[in-house]
Each structure stands twice: as C-alpha cells, then as structure tokens.
Amino acid sequence: MAVSAPPVISATSSGAGVPGGLFRAEPLFMANNHGSGNTNTNECRMVDMHGVKVASFLMDGQELICLPQVFDLFLKHLVGGLHTVYTKLKRLDISPVVCTVEQVRILRGLGAIQPGVNRCKLITRKDFETLFIDCTNARPENLSSVLLLSPFPGFSCKCPLLKRNE
C-alpha cells in the first residue's frame, strides 16, 4: 500500500493551492462569541506588514494588529523595551485596544505572543506606522551628534561622546 507524502510548506509559503497552507487570507482561528453582538472579533488573519506576516483581528471595521508581535519584529532594536513603546503611545495620543481572553489564546496558539503572556494590546496599521516613524526618528545615528542643552550655567557633561564642541 503506497502512502502519499504530505505537502512541503516553507515558512515563506503563501499557502496558495496547498490545503491548510501556512499563510492564508481566510480566518485561521474563529472562536465562539457567546451572547456578543459582534461575531467577528475573534477572527484572526495573517496580514503582510513590511514583508512579514503578522496576526490581526477585524474589530468594528478596523484591522488591528498585535502590538507585542510588531514590537518584537520591528521596534525592539529601536527602543529600550515595550514600556518605552507604551510611553510613546501615550505621547502620540494612540490608544491601543485590550485583547479579550479568547484573542490572547488565539495569539498564543499562533506564536504571535509568548506562551506565558496573558494580556495583549492591538493597534491599527496607521497607528503602528506613526509609532514606527517616531521610533526611527527618535534614535540618533551617532551619539556624538546629540546636542546637550545646559539646564543651568556651569553645567558640564563628563561623558566624552556627548560633550559639545566648544
């Protein structure tokens, strides 16, 4: 009796023509919303952002992406940590949406967030682009190019990289 081999799916596969492909446009997971008027808040799709697939949910007609996932993929090398991102979000007047328990389970199942994480926030693509631009513009190319403004007369910086050329 001959057994057929399962199809090979690469990590960059689009899933086109392969049943159960790795990345696809239709919902990957859909949880039941018991008693909720909005039936599509737990439909998770993998969407393309800057050439990388990220998890997203459609809520109230807006596509919301997983903030910890895009932090890990795009921002962690630009800022000190996720706490810095939340501070930037406040300053930029961006209000992330808190995931439901079921959405967190779905994101964990997809590997978008770590297994031990029990809270997560979502932001729009537009808000992510605003945040990304802020993070890339806030980081100087060279520390010696940072200009220190003296908070009081007689202020001197002891760090040789940050001293002004006077």
Side-chain angles (χ1 to χ4, degrees):
M1 175 186 263
V3 178
S4 64
V8 176
I9 303 171
S10 71
T12 58
S13 170
S14 66
V18 179
L22 188 58
F23 301 121
R24 50 190 166 193
E26 67 273 3
L28 291 174
F29 291 101
M30 189 167 164
N32 294 331
N33 276 348
H34 302 290
S36 172
N38 192 352
T39 58
N40 66 350
T41 60
N42 290 336
E43 285 184 20
C44 185
R45 299 175 190 270
M46 297 303 286
V47 296
D48 186 74
M49 286 207 58
H50 300 281
V52 180
K53 298 290 183 179
V54 297
S56 76
F57 292 95
L58 187 65
M59 295 175 65
D60 299 324
Q62 281 194 315
E63 183 181 72
L64 300 173
I65 56 176
C66 175
L67 182 57
Q69 185 183 26
V70 292
F71 166 78
D72 192 52
L73 292 170
F74 303 109
L75 303 174
K76 72 179 178 184
H77 65 283
L78 297 172
V79 295
L82 198 52
H83 179 76
T84 305
V85 168
Y86 286 118
T87 303
K88 285 180 176 291
L89 290 175
K90 281 185 180 180
R91 184 177 47 77
L92 295 169
D93 200 28
I94 296 173
S95 300
V97 176
V98 178
C99 287
T100 65
V101 172
E102 194 59 36
Q103 288 169 332
V104 170
R105 287 182 185 142
I106 291 168
L107 291 170
R108 277 194 309 239
L110 287 171
I113 58 176
Q114 296 295 319
V117 173
N118 59 10
R119 287 183 293 177
C120 182
K121 293 189 180 180
L122 306 169
I123 60 173
T124 65
R125 280 179 177 252
K126 181 183 172 208
D127 288 342
F128 170 74
E129 294 300 333
T130 301
L131 176 64
F132 184 75
I133 289 167
D134 187 74
C135 289
T136 53
N137 289 338
R139 188 161 183 98
E141 291 294 322
N142 185 352
L143 283 177
S144 62
S145 68
V146 175
L147 193 74
L148 289 179
L149 299 175
S150 176
F152 52 87
F155 173 80
S156 72
C157 176
K158 299 199 190 247
C159 178
L161 292 175
L162 298 178
K163 283 190 176 177
R164 281 191 274 181
N165 295 331
E166 296 179 7

